[in-house]
Amino acid sequence: MAKIIAVIGSPGSGKTTVTLKLAQELYCATSNGAVIYISPSLKVPALGVLFPNYTPDSIFSLGSMFDKTDIYEEDILNHLVTVKSMNNFSCLGYKAGENKYDFAELTEDKVNAFFDVLNNMAGYIFVDCTDEENDLISQIALRNAYEVIMVLSPDLKSMVYLASNEELFGTNSERAIRVLNVNENELYSPVDDVRTNVKNIEYILPFSKQVRSQQLDGLLYERAKDKKYRAVLSKIVNRII
């Protein structure tokens, strides 16, 4: 049975990048089945961010899969976006240009069926959760999560978000592994002050020029090469495993 890793966090904290990089690092650290990254966001469809250089015929949308009456393993396999250098690592999400008006609203039964099929396909499932009220994929992932990771950035916006929305995630927020992600604009932010105001931060993920270059070049789907960055990812992965 797959272990669900639900990742939550404030907008602009780098949550999508951190989720993907953690999933990649775990894939490289274990041989316990396939690793699948899922983004249910229709506000900023992740596939457009993660795979901008892929040809249109190699990008498949979660939306078209959920349009089916029933979901089978073959349906999921046909909608995975794969990474050539990682045989058992793949992604599921929405395509650039899609939005919530393109698809029928999901039902809890259909999303539960989706996860039931995934349970037999993967060792780990990373869900890049949103805080959208009708996002059943995130809600069910959080409900069934093996581990919850909270991504924060060292700025006032992130702290205000946490103060205002922590109850939204309920007990998941209380038990989350908290990761402070330092972005390019926050290199000189008072990280120690953030740690004082936000309790239980366990890991600080340093800014990585190499990962930033991946973002700019549309190559985030490749594994990070920055040794310092990966060293922190590895610590978090070891905690999960």
Side-chain angles (χ1 to χ4, degrees):
M1 180 172 286
K3 294 179 179 178
I4 297 174
I5 313 300
V7 185
I8 58 179
S10 59
S13 62
K15 176 172 60 68
T16 293
T17 298
V18 173
T19 306
L20 182 69
K21 293 305 176 188
L22 279 171
Q24 292 170 333
E25 203 63 26
L26 188 143
Y27 164 83
C28 294
T30 180
S31 58
N32 186 23
V35 176
I36 297 176
Y37 161 92
I38 301 173
S39 172
S41 176
L42 271 166
K43 284 188 175 179
V44 184
L47 298 185
V49 176
L50 304 181
F51 302 99
N53 297 325
Y54 272 38
T55 58
D57 61 354
S58 59
I59 300 290
F60 313 100
S61 172
L62 265 179
S64 59
M65 185 193 70
F66 280 121
D67 277 344
K68 295 177 176 292
T69 303
D70 298 301
I71 297 174
Y72 300 100
E73 185 172 323
E74 183 180 359
D75 298 315
I76 294 178
L77 287 172
N78 288 336
H79 286 80
L80 291 173
V81 180
T82 57
V83 178
K84 291 181 181 179
S85 59
M86 300 180 180
N87 290 332
N88 288 317
F89 180 85
S90 49
C91 301
L92 287 166
Y94 293 96
K95 299 192 294 186
E98 295 179 332
N99 61 62
K100 65 180 181 180
Y101 302 109
D102 291 326
F103 307 106
E105 193 167 318
L106 293 178
T107 65
E108 190 157 340
D109 286 344
K110 180 161 280 191
V111 177
N112 278 323
F114 168 63
F115 276 109
D116 285 343
V117 177
L118 282 174
N119 271 333
N120 299 316
M121 295 178 61
Y124 291 89
I125 301 167
F126 282 76
V127 181
D128 181 7
C129 297
T130 78
D131 58 8
E132 297 166 24
E133 187 176 351
N134 61 347
D135 178 7
L136 290 176
I137 296 176
S138 293
Q139 292 170 21
I140 291 173
L142 282 164
R143 191 184 308 161
N144 299 292
Y146 173 72
E147 292 283 5
V148 178
I149 297 171
M150 175 176 282
V151 180
L152 302 162
S153 54
D155 59 17
L156 185 59
K157 178 181 177 181
S158 188
M159 287 186 283
V160 170
Y161 175 88
L162 180 61
S164 298
N165 294 279
E166 196 161 13
E167 289 186 4
L168 180 69
F169 300 110
T171 56
N172 289 299
S173 175
E174 295 172 7
R175 70 182 181 91
I177 301 170
R178 300 193 178 199
V179 179
L180 193 65
N181 180 46
V182 180
N183 293 320
E184 185 175 14
N185 294 332
E186 297 146 358
L187 281 173
Y188 304 104
S189 297
V191 172
D192 290 337
D193 290 349
V194 176
R195 298 190 70 170
T196 299
N197 289 291
V198 180
K199 296 179 181 179
N200 303 322
I201 291 176
E202 300 177 67
Y203 304 97
I204 296 180
L205 198 56
F207 170 70
S208 170
K209 289 183 179 179
Q210 189 262 330
V211 173
R212 178 58 176 155
S213 292
Q214 287 184 331
Q215 292 174 330
L216 295 173
D217 296 336
L219 298 173
L220 274 176
Y221 55 84
E222 295 182 353
R223 187 187 184 192
K225 297 178 181 179
D226 186 319
K227 291 182 179 180
K228 290 183 178 179
Y229 185 85
R230 271 179 38 194
V232 179
L233 291 177
S234 181
K235 290 179 181 178
I236 302 169
V237 164
N238 288 336
R239 170 82 172 271
I240 294 170
I241 296 173

